[in-house]
Amino acid sequence: MKRKHTIVALSVGLALAGAYGSAFAAGEVTVTIGSAAPMSGPQAAFGQDNTNGVRMAINDLNKENIVIGGKKVIWKIDAQDDQADPKQATTVAQKFVDEKVNGVVGHLNSGCTFPASRIYNQAGIPDITPSSTDPKIAEQGFKTFFRIIANDNALGAGLANYAKANLKAKTVAVIDDRTAYGQGVADVFAKTAKKDGLKVLDREYTNDKATDFSAILTKIKSLHPDVIFYGGMYSQAGPMLRQIQQLGIKTHFMGGDGICAPELAKLAGNAADITICAEGGSPISKMPGGVAWKKRYDAEFGPSAFQIYSPYSYDGTMVLAAAMKKANSVDPAKYLKDIRNIDYNGVTKSDIHFLANGNLAEPTITLSKFDNGVKTVVAVEEVK
């Protein structure tokens, strides 16, 4: 009978080990970071780049053999395609909550981060966006939300100021795609342009699926603006630039970080050469760890994979890990406070820390132009 009890006890132990996985048996703990971005559709290049940044950080963390709470940590990524669709983003967010991920890096689009951040806040799961720039997200007051990049207030204003001071523009026309991001950055640009004394000749609207802008552009052509500003993504800006060229419109073209990617030149060809765009953060060459990091990124994913945000998604993942190490816990409820008090030496910035509303403290913006299809930095400015 004693032998029978031993066999039963052994069977129960094996069953428990199976239920909790190898981490239980080996004294390990698995930490899963959710990564949410459009992995399909017209913005897939951005989404894949974001995911690459998280994946690269996860690989680096696993090489460190980190111990938290007395257990070796096995780091994993759960990469989900939110299709740049707010409804799909909420489905992804709820999936992460149900699976009890330890933290989230995402979403890419402001329109996706906006509703998803509410779900994360209700569940107490920290989320760091590497790319959503709508200021209104932080205004919701969620304690779990963080942004590791400058917001649209900085981008839109920086572009308007540049149009006035450097392009000597006097008139502008503004178009946006009606998404939270596109409308937000366009509103800031238009407001700052008026404040700077520029005249906004026209305000037009499209959507983030459109490819034919001939009616809008024909109307704008008759107004002869010095600048056309587009609030939206490169997937629409590319064909829009081609149509500007076809219509013979003589102007400058401006937009935020949504258009400020190498993919723009692939879609627009030499029509992209009238473009000046702004992105939150510094160029790779000016980031404290940028050059060495980019070399590793290219070796792992190929040089054509890089767009804009992967260094920020990398640092976002590393900030989550740093907070867990500081708290000596992978429990979001215990390490959340340590994100708020973090001072992390990252690839993108040497002193990453956050304001009370989750915005990045002391961000920078970079203005670039396209010259023969190559994005070239024209100015780097600190946001005060």
PDB file of all heavy atoms in Angstrom, residues 16-51:
ATOM      1  N   LEU A  16       1.008  18.273 -11.848  1.00  0.00           N
ATOM      2  CA  LEU A  16       1.174  19.694 -11.535  1.00  0.00           C
ATOM      3  C   LEU A  16       2.291  20.317 -12.356  1.00  0.00           C
ATOM      4  O   LEU A  16       2.163  21.437 -12.859  1.00  0.00           O
ATOM      5  CB  LEU A  16       1.487  19.860 -10.042  1.00  0.00           C
ATOM      6  CG  LEU A  16       0.307  19.668  -9.079  1.00  0.00           C
ATOM      7  CD1 LEU A  16       0.806  19.643  -7.636  1.00  0.00           C
ATOM      8  CD2 LEU A  16      -0.721  20.765  -9.271  1.00  0.00           C
ATOM      9  N   ALA A  17       3.377  19.574 -12.510  1.00  0.00           N
ATOM     10  CA  ALA A  17       4.490  20.079 -13.323  1.00  0.00           C
ATOM     11  C   ALA A  17       4.037  20.294 -14.750  1.00  0.00           C
ATOM     12  O   ALA A  17       4.410  21.278 -15.400  1.00  0.00           O
ATOM     13  CB  ALA A  17       5.653  19.094 -13.267  1.00  0.00           C
ATOM     14  N   GLY A  18       3.222  19.372 -15.260  1.00  0.00           N
ATOM     15  CA  GLY A  18       2.706  19.525 -16.620  1.00  0.00           C
ATOM     16  C   GLY A  18       1.793  20.719 -16.742  1.00  0.00           C
ATOM     17  O   GLY A  18       1.806  21.440 -17.729  1.00  0.00           O
ATOM     18  N   ALA A  19       0.990  20.969 -15.693  1.00  0.00           N
ATOM     19  CA  ALA A  19       0.040  22.083 -15.728  1.00  0.00           C
ATOM     20  C   ALA A  19       0.746  23.423 -15.764  1.00  0.00           C
ATOM     21  O   ALA A  19       0.316  24.374 -16.395  1.00  0.00           O
ATOM     22  CB  ALA A  19      -0.886  22.008 -14.505  1.00  0.00           C
ATOM     23  N   TYR A  20       1.852  23.515 -15.047  1.00  0.00           N
ATOM     24  CA  TYR A  20       2.555  24.794 -14.967  1.00  0.00           C
ATOM     25  C   TYR A  20       3.747  24.887 -15.904  1.00  0.00           C
ATOM     26  O   TYR A  20       4.426  25.909 -15.962  1.00  0.00           O
ATOM     27  CB  TYR A  20       3.015  25.050 -13.529  1.00  0.00           C
ATOM     28  CG  TYR A  20       1.865  25.371 -12.615  1.00  0.00           C
ATOM     29  CD1 TYR A  20       1.253  24.378 -11.871  1.00  0.00           C
ATOM     30  CD2 TYR A  20       1.374  26.671 -12.508  1.00  0.00           C
ATOM     31  CE1 TYR A  20       0.191  24.659 -11.040  1.00  0.00           C
ATOM     32  CE2 TYR A  20       0.310  26.965 -11.675  1.00  0.00           C
ATOM     33  CZ  TYR A  20      -0.291  25.955 -10.947  1.00  0.00           C
ATOM     34  OH  TYR A  20      -1.347  26.245 -10.137  1.00  0.00           O
ATOM     35  N   GLY A  21       4.022  23.807 -16.649  1.00  0.00           N
ATOM     36  CA  GLY A  21       5.090  23.840 -17.632  1.00  0.00           C
ATOM     37  C   GLY A  21       6.455  23.607 -17.020  1.00  0.00           C
ATOM     38  O   GLY A  21       6.619  23.391 -15.821  1.00  0.00           O
ATOM     39  N   SER A  22       7.436  23.676 -17.886  1.00  0.00           N
ATOM     40  CA  SER A  22       8.808  23.400 -17.456  1.00  0.00           C
ATOM     41  C   SER A  22       9.324  24.438 -16.481  1.00  0.00           C
ATOM     42  O   SER A  22      10.234  24.180 -15.708  1.00  0.00           O
ATOM     43  CB  SER A  22       9.723  23.341 -18.676  1.00  0.00           C
ATOM     44  OG  SER A  22       9.704  24.565 -19.374  1.00  0.00           O
ATOM     45  N   ALA A  23       8.707  25.644 -16.504  1.00  0.00           N
ATOM     46  CA  ALA A  23       9.144  26.689 -15.586  1.00  0.00           C
ATOM     47  C   ALA A  23       8.966  26.235 -14.142  1.00  0.00           C
ATOM     48  O   ALA A  23       9.794  26.508 -13.269  1.00  0.00           O
ATOM     49  CB  ALA A  23       8.356  27.975 -15.843  1.00  0.00           C
ATOM     50  N   PHE A  24       7.859  25.528 -13.863  1.00  0.00           N
ATOM     51  CA  PHE A  24       7.587  25.015 -12.513  1.00  0.00           C
ATOM     52  C   PHE A  24       8.673  24.027 -12.094  1.00  0.00           C
ATOM     53  O   PHE A  24       9.205  24.088 -11.002  1.00  0.00           O
ATOM     54  CB  PHE A  24       6.203  24.345 -12.496  1.00  0.00           C
ATOM     55  CG  PHE A  24       5.835  23.737 -11.165  1.00  0.00           C
ATOM     56  CD1 PHE A  24       5.212  24.491 -10.192  1.00  0.00           C
ATOM     57  CD2 PHE A  24       6.115  22.403 -10.889  1.00  0.00           C
ATOM     58  CE1 PHE A  24       4.866  23.934  -8.967  1.00  0.00           C
ATOM     59  CE2 PHE A  24       5.775  21.839  -9.672  1.00  0.00           C
ATOM     60  CZ  PHE A  24       5.149  22.605  -8.704  1.00  0.00           C
ATOM     61  N   ALA A  25       8.980  23.117 -12.995  1.00  0.00           N
ATOM     62  CA  ALA A  25       9.918  22.050 -12.668  1.00  0.00           C
ATOM     63  C   ALA A  25      11.334  22.577 -12.479  1.00  0.00           C
ATOM     64  O   ALA A  25      12.088  22.083 -11.654  1.00  0.00           O
ATOM     65  CB  ALA A  25       9.892  20.980 -13.748  1.00  0.00           C
ATOM     66  N   ALA A  26      11.700  23.569 -13.235  1.00  0.00           N
ATOM     67  CA  ALA A  26      13.087  24.034 -13.226  1.00  0.00           C
ATOM     68  C   ALA A  26      13.305  25.262 -12.363  1.00  0.00           C
ATOM     69  O   ALA A  26      14.398  25.811 -12.340  1.00  0.00           O
ATOM     70  CB  ALA A  26      13.519  24.326 -14.657  1.00  0.00           C
ATOM     71  N   GLY A  27      12.288  25.732 -11.645  1.00  0.00           N
ATOM     72  CA  GLY A  27      12.438  26.932 -10.843  1.00  0.00           C
ATOM     73  C   GLY A  27      12.573  28.169 -11.698  1.00  0.00           C
ATOM     74  O   GLY A  27      13.271  29.112 -11.345  1.00  0.00           O
ATOM     75  N   GLU A  28      11.922  28.167 -12.841  1.00  0.00           N
ATOM     76  CA  GLU A  28      11.953  29.297 -13.767  1.00  0.00           C
ATOM     77  C   GLU A  28      10.587  29.981 -13.785  1.00  0.00           C
ATOM     78  O   GLU A  28       9.582  29.396 -13.389  1.00  0.00           O
ATOM     79  CB  GLU A  28      12.302  28.819 -15.179  1.00  0.00           C
ATOM     80  CG  GLU A  28      13.675  28.183 -15.285  1.00  0.00           C
ATOM     81  CD  GLU A  28      13.905  27.535 -16.644  1.00  0.00           C
ATOM     82  OE1 GLU A  28      12.918  27.274 -17.358  1.00  0.00           O
ATOM     83  OE2 GLU A  28      15.079  27.277 -16.964  1.00  0.00           O
ATOM     84  N   VAL A  29      10.570  31.206 -14.250  1.00  0.00           N
ATOM     85  CA  VAL A  29       9.324  31.928 -14.446  1.00  0.00           C
ATOM     86  C   VAL A  29       9.314  32.484 -15.864  1.00  0.00           C
ATOM     87  O   VAL A  29      10.338  32.997 -16.338  1.00  0.00           O
ATOM     88  CB  VAL A  29       9.147  33.056 -13.403  1.00  0.00           C
ATOM     89  CG1 VAL A  29      10.270  34.082 -13.490  1.00  0.00           C
ATOM     90  CG2 VAL A  29       7.795  33.742 -13.572  1.00  0.00           C
ATOM     91  N   THR A  30       8.201  32.357 -16.543  1.00  0.00           N
ATOM     92  CA  THR A  30       8.075  32.876 -17.900  1.00  0.00           C
ATOM     93  C   THR A  30       7.414  34.253 -17.872  1.00  0.00           C
ATOM     94  O   THR A  30       6.350  34.429 -17.264  1.00  0.00           O
ATOM     95  CB  THR A  30       7.231  31.929 -18.776  1.00  0.00           C
ATOM     96  OG1 THR A  30       7.908  30.681 -18.885  1.00  0.00           O
ATOM     97  CG2 THR A  30       7.037  32.516 -20.173  1.00  0.00           C
ATOM     98  N   VAL A  31       8.056  35.215 -18.487  1.00  0.00           N
ATOM     99  CA  VAL A  31       7.507  36.571 -18.622  1.00  0.00           C
ATOM    100  C   VAL A  31       7.159  36.792 -20.082  1.00  0.00           C
ATOM    101  O   VAL A  31       8.018  36.678 -20.956  1.00  0.00           O
ATOM    102  CB  VAL A  31       8.525  37.631 -18.147  1.00  0.00           C
ATOM    103  CG1 VAL A  31       8.041  39.032 -18.508  1.00  0.00           C
ATOM    104  CG2 VAL A  31       8.731  37.520 -16.652  1.00  0.00           C
ATOM    105  N   THR A  32       5.899  37.112 -20.337  1.00  0.00           N
ATOM    106  CA  THR A  32       5.438  37.335 -21.704  1.00  0.00           C
ATOM    107  C   THR A  32       5.141  38.812 -21.923  1.00  0.00           C
ATOM    108  O   THR A  32       4.379  39.422 -21.165  1.00  0.00           O
ATOM    109  CB  THR A  32       4.163  36.513 -21.987  1.00  0.00           C
ATOM    110  OG1 THR A  32       4.446  35.127 -21.779  1.00  0.00           O
ATOM    111  CG2 THR A  32       3.702  36.710 -23.426  1.00  0.00           C
ATOM    112  N   ILE A  33       5.741  39.376 -22.950  1.00  0.00           N
ATOM    113  CA  ILE A  33       5.503  40.762 -23.350  1.00  0.00           C
ATOM    114  C   ILE A  33       4.624  40.755 -24.594  1.00  0.00           C
ATOM    115  O   ILE A  33       4.996  40.163 -25.618  1.00  0.00           O
ATOM    116  CB  ILE A  33       6.819  41.506 -23.639  1.00  0.00           C
ATOM    117  CG1 ILE A  33       7.743  41.459 -22.422  1.00  0.00           C
ATOM    118  CG2 ILE A  33       6.529  42.948 -24.062  1.00  0.00           C
ATOM    119  CD1 ILE A  33       7.182  42.099 -21.169  1.00  0.00           C
ATOM    120  N   GLY A  34       3.474  41.381 -24.504  1.00  0.00           N
ATOM    121  CA  GLY A  34       2.594  41.499 -25.657  1.00  0.00           C
ATOM    122  C   GLY A  34       3.084  42.588 -26.591  1.00  0.00           C
ATOM    123  O   GLY A  34       3.465  43.679 -26.149  1.00  0.00           O
ATOM    124  N   SER A  35       3.104  42.290 -27.879  1.00  0.00           N
ATOM    125  CA  SER A  35       3.495  43.266 -28.904  1.00  0.00           C
ATOM    126  C   SER A  35       2.336  43.411 -29.880  1.00  0.00           C
ATOM    127  O   SER A  35       1.921  42.435 -30.501  1.00  0.00           O
ATOM    128  CB  SER A  35       4.752  42.801 -29.644  1.00  0.00           C
ATOM    129  OG  SER A  35       5.047  43.639 -30.743  1.00  0.00           O
ATOM    130  N   ALA A  36       1.792  44.617 -29.994  1.00  0.00           N
ATOM    131  CA  ALA A  36       0.613  44.840 -30.835  1.00  0.00           C
ATOM    132  C   ALA A  36       0.907  45.890 -31.896  1.00  0.00           C
ATOM    133  O   ALA A  36       1.311  47.009 -31.578  1.00  0.00           O
ATOM    134  CB  ALA A  36      -0.569  45.284 -29.975  1.00  0.00           C
ATOM    135  N   ALA A  37       0.701  45.514 -33.154  1.00  0.00           N
ATOM    136  CA  ALA A  37       0.961  46.416 -34.281  1.00  0.00           C
ATOM    137  C   ALA A  37       0.318  45.822 -35.530  1.00  0.00           C
ATOM    138  O   ALA A  37      -0.014  44.634 -35.551  1.00  0.00           O
ATOM    139  CB  ALA A  37       2.469  46.584 -34.492  1.00  0.00           C
ATOM    140  N   PRO A  38       0.139  46.629 -36.584  1.00  0.00           N
ATOM    141  CA  PRO A  38      -0.404  46.082 -37.834  1.00  0.00           C
ATOM    142  C   PRO A  38       0.634  45.230 -38.554  1.00  0.00           C
ATOM    143  O   PRO A  38       1.600  45.750 -39.106  1.00  0.00           O
ATOM    144  CB  PRO A  38      -0.762  47.333 -38.644  1.00  0.00           C
ATOM    145  CG  PRO A  38       0.124  48.408 -38.115  1.00  0.00           C
ATOM    146  CD  PRO A  38       0.308  48.097 -36.662  1.00  0.00           C
ATOM    147  N   MET A  39       0.438  43.941 -38.551  1.00  0.00           N
ATOM    148  CA  MET A  39       1.365  43.010 -39.185  1.00  0.00           C
ATOM    149  C   MET A  39       0.933  42.650 -40.594  1.00  0.00           C
ATOM    150  O   MET A  39       1.623  41.929 -41.313  1.00  0.00           O
ATOM    151  CB  MET A  39       1.472  41.742 -38.343  1.00  0.00           C
ATOM    152  CG  MET A  39       1.888  41.985 -36.898  1.00  0.00           C
ATOM    153  SD  MET A  39       3.582  42.535 -36.763  1.00  0.00           S
ATOM    154  CE  MET A  39       4.416  41.021 -37.172  1.00  0.00           C
ATOM    155  N   SER A  40      -0.243  43.114 -40.981  1.00  0.00           N
ATOM    156  CA  SER A  40      -0.760  42.901 -42.330  1.00  0.00           C
ATOM    157  C   SER A  40      -1.345  44.210 -42.832  1.00  0.00           C
ATOM    158  O   SER A  40      -1.533  45.157 -42.064  1.00  0.00           O
ATOM    159  CB  SER A  40      -1.830  41.799 -42.322  1.00  0.00           C
ATOM    160  OG  SER A  40      -2.915  42.159 -41.487  1.00  0.00           O
ATOM    161  N   GLY A  41      -1.629  44.263 -44.132  1.00  0.00           N
ATOM    162  CA  GLY A  41      -2.217  45.475 -44.691  1.00  0.00           C
ATOM    163  C   GLY A  41      -1.178  46.503 -45.079  1.00  0.00           C
ATOM    164  O   GLY A  41       0.031  46.259 -45.033  1.00  0.00           O
ATOM    165  N   PRO A  42      -1.627  47.703 -45.439  1.00  0.00           N
ATOM    166  CA  PRO A  42      -0.725  48.724 -45.985  1.00  0.00           C
ATOM    167  C   PRO A  42       0.305  49.266 -45.003  1.00  0.00           C
ATOM    168  O   PRO A  42       1.305  49.842 -45.422  1.00  0.00           O
ATOM    169  CB  PRO A  42      -1.688  49.837 -46.447  1.00  0.00           C
ATOM    170  CG  PRO A  42      -2.955  49.604 -45.696  1.00  0.00           C
ATOM    171  CD  PRO A  42      -3.037  48.136 -45.496  1.00  0.00           C
ATOM    172  N   GLN A  43       0.081  49.097 -43.694  1.00  0.00           N
ATOM    173  CA  GLN A  43       1.040  49.590 -42.704  1.00  0.00           C
ATOM    174  C   GLN A  43       1.921  48.477 -42.129  1.00  0.00           C
ATOM    175  O   GLN A  43       2.567  48.653 -41.095  1.00  0.00           O
ATOM    176  CB  GLN A  43       0.295  50.294 -41.570  1.00  0.00           C
ATOM    177  CG  GLN A  43      -0.472  51.530 -42.022  1.00  0.00           C
ATOM    178  CD  GLN A  43      -1.226  52.194 -40.892  1.00  0.00           C
ATOM    179  OE1 GLN A  43      -0.765  52.223 -39.751  1.00  0.00           O
ATOM    180  NE2 GLN A  43      -2.387  52.731 -41.186  1.00  0.00           N
ATOM    181  N   ALA A  44       1.968  47.351 -42.818  1.00  0.00           N
ATOM    182  CA  ALA A  44       2.686  46.187 -42.306  1.00  0.00           C
ATOM    183  C   ALA A  44       4.182  46.448 -42.105  1.00  0.00           C
ATOM    184  O   ALA A  44       4.797  45.874 -41.203  1.00  0.00           O
ATOM    185  CB  ALA A  44       2.481  44.991 -43.234  1.00  0.00           C
ATOM    186  N   ALA A  45       4.772  47.301 -42.930  1.00  0.00           N
ATOM    187  CA  ALA A  45       6.210  47.587 -42.774  1.00  0.00           C
ATOM    188  C   ALA A  45       6.484  48.229 -41.421  1.00  0.00           C
ATOM    189  O   ALA A  45       7.458  47.881 -40.734  1.00  0.00           O
ATOM    190  CB  ALA A  45       6.697  48.489 -43.901  1.00  0.00           C
ATOM    191  N   PHE A  46       5.635  49.174 -41.031  1.00  0.00           N
ATOM    192  CA  PHE A  46       5.746  49.782 -39.702  1.00  0.00           C
ATOM    193  C   PHE A  46       5.543  48.730 -38.621  1.00  0.00           C
ATOM    194  O   PHE A  46       6.301  48.656 -37.654  1.00  0.00           O
ATOM    195  CB  PHE A  46       4.685  50.880 -39.534  1.00  0.00           C
ATOM    196  CG  PHE A  46       5.148  52.257 -39.901  1.00  0.00           C
ATOM    197  CD1 PHE A  46       4.257  53.325 -39.882  1.00  0.00           C
ATOM    198  CD2 PHE A  46       6.461  52.520 -40.256  1.00  0.00           C
ATOM    199  CE1 PHE A  46       4.663  54.611 -40.207  1.00  0.00           C
ATOM    200  CE2 PHE A  46       6.885  53.798 -40.586  1.00  0.00           C
ATOM    201  CZ  PHE A  46       5.981  54.848 -40.551  1.00  0.00           C
ATOM    202  N   GLY A  47       4.482  47.927 -38.778  1.00  0.00           N
ATOM    203  CA  GLY A  47       4.146  46.945 -37.760  1.00  0.00           C
ATOM    204  C   GLY A  47       5.232  45.901 -37.559  1.00  0.00           C
ATOM    205  O   GLY A  47       5.555  45.535 -36.427  1.00  0.00           O
ATOM    206  N   GLN A  48       5.797  45.424 -38.665  1.00  0.00           N
ATOM    207  CA  GLN A  48       6.858  44.432 -38.567  1.00  0.00           C
ATOM    208  C   GLN A  48       8.093  45.023 -37.911  1.00  0.00           C
ATOM    209  O   GLN A  48       8.767  44.365 -37.098  1.00  0.00           O
ATOM    210  CB  GLN A  48       7.213  43.885 -39.952  1.00  0.00           C
ATOM    211  CG  GLN A  48       8.194  42.723 -39.921  1.00  0.00           C
ATOM    212  CD  GLN A  48       7.659  41.530 -39.164  1.00  0.00           C
ATOM    213  OE1 GLN A  48       6.639  40.959 -39.537  1.00  0.00           O
ATOM    214  NE2 GLN A  48       8.335  41.141 -38.092  1.00  0.00           N
ATOM    215  N   ASP A  49       8.391  46.283 -38.229  1.00  0.00           N
ATOM    216  CA  ASP A  49       9.539  46.960 -37.631  1.00  0.00           C
ATOM    217  C   ASP A  49       9.356  47.073 -36.119  1.00  0.00           C
ATOM    218  O   ASP A  49      10.283  46.798 -35.346  1.00  0.00           O
ATOM    219  CB  ASP A  49       9.693  48.335 -38.272  1.00  0.00           C
ATOM    220  CG  ASP A  49      10.902  49.097 -37.760  1.00  0.00           C
ATOM    221  OD1 ASP A  49      11.997  48.511 -37.713  1.00  0.00           O
ATOM    222  OD2 ASP A  49      10.756  50.286 -37.418  1.00  0.00           O
ATOM    223  N   ASN A  50       8.156  47.490 -35.686  1.00  0.00           N
ATOM    224  CA  ASN A  50       7.875  47.564 -34.251  1.00  0.00           C
ATOM    225  C   ASN A  50       8.095  46.219 -33.567  1.00  0.00           C
ATOM    226  O   ASN A  50       8.735  46.117 -32.521  1.00  0.00           O
ATOM    227  CB  ASN A  50       6.423  48.003 -34.018  1.00  0.00           C
ATOM    228  CG  ASN A  50       6.287  49.502 -33.876  1.00  0.00           C
ATOM    229  OD1 ASN A  50       7.066  50.253 -34.442  1.00  0.00           O
ATOM    230  ND2 ASN A  50       5.291  49.940 -33.135  1.00  0.00           N
ATOM    231  N   THR A  51       7.543  45.176 -34.178  1.00  0.00           N
ATOM    232  CA  THR A  51       7.638  43.840 -33.605  1.00  0.00           C
ATOM    233  C   THR A  51       9.085  43.359 -33.563  1.00  0.00           C
ATOM    234  O   THR A  51       9.511  42.710 -32.603  1.00  0.00           O
ATOM    235  CB  THR A  51       6.773  42.858 -34.406  1.00  0.00           C
ATOM    236  OG1 THR A  51       5.435  43.363 -34.481  1.00  0.00           O
ATOM    237  CG2 THR A  51       6.742  41.485 -33.751  1.00  0.00           C
TER     238      THR A  51
END
